Amino acid sequence: MVSACVHHLRPECLNSGFQEGEQKFGSFTAYEKQALGLDSKDVRDLKRDLLVG
């Protein structure tokens, strides 16, 4: 499953990543802050630049 997830953005792969972040950090927001070192402005900027629609 991991190798398939590396090469394709499938919903089950994305969901698995979100779930792991929530399990280890309590929430995805906590994962963004603690594991990735992102603050609210960083997250807002990433959403603005990367999300479509």
Side-chain angles (χ1 to χ4, degrees), residues 8-24:
H8 303 285
L9 291 177
R10 298 187 335 215
E12 61 269 23
C13 295
L14 294 173
N15 290 335
S16 176
F18 285 120
Q19 289 172 353
E20 185 169 339
E22 289 177 354
Q23 288 174 355
K24 289 185 178 181

Side-chain angles (χ1 to χ4, degrees), residues 17-44:
F18 285 120
Q19 289 172 353
E20 185 169 339
E22 289 177 354
Q23 288 174 355
K24 289 185 178 181
F25 296 94
S27 71
F28 194 75
T29 300
Y31 168 76
E32 293 168 340
K33 291 178 181 180
Q34 295 172 19
L36 301 178
L38 301 174
D39 63 20
S40 298
K41 182 184 180 309
D42 294 327
V43 173
R44 185 178 60 245

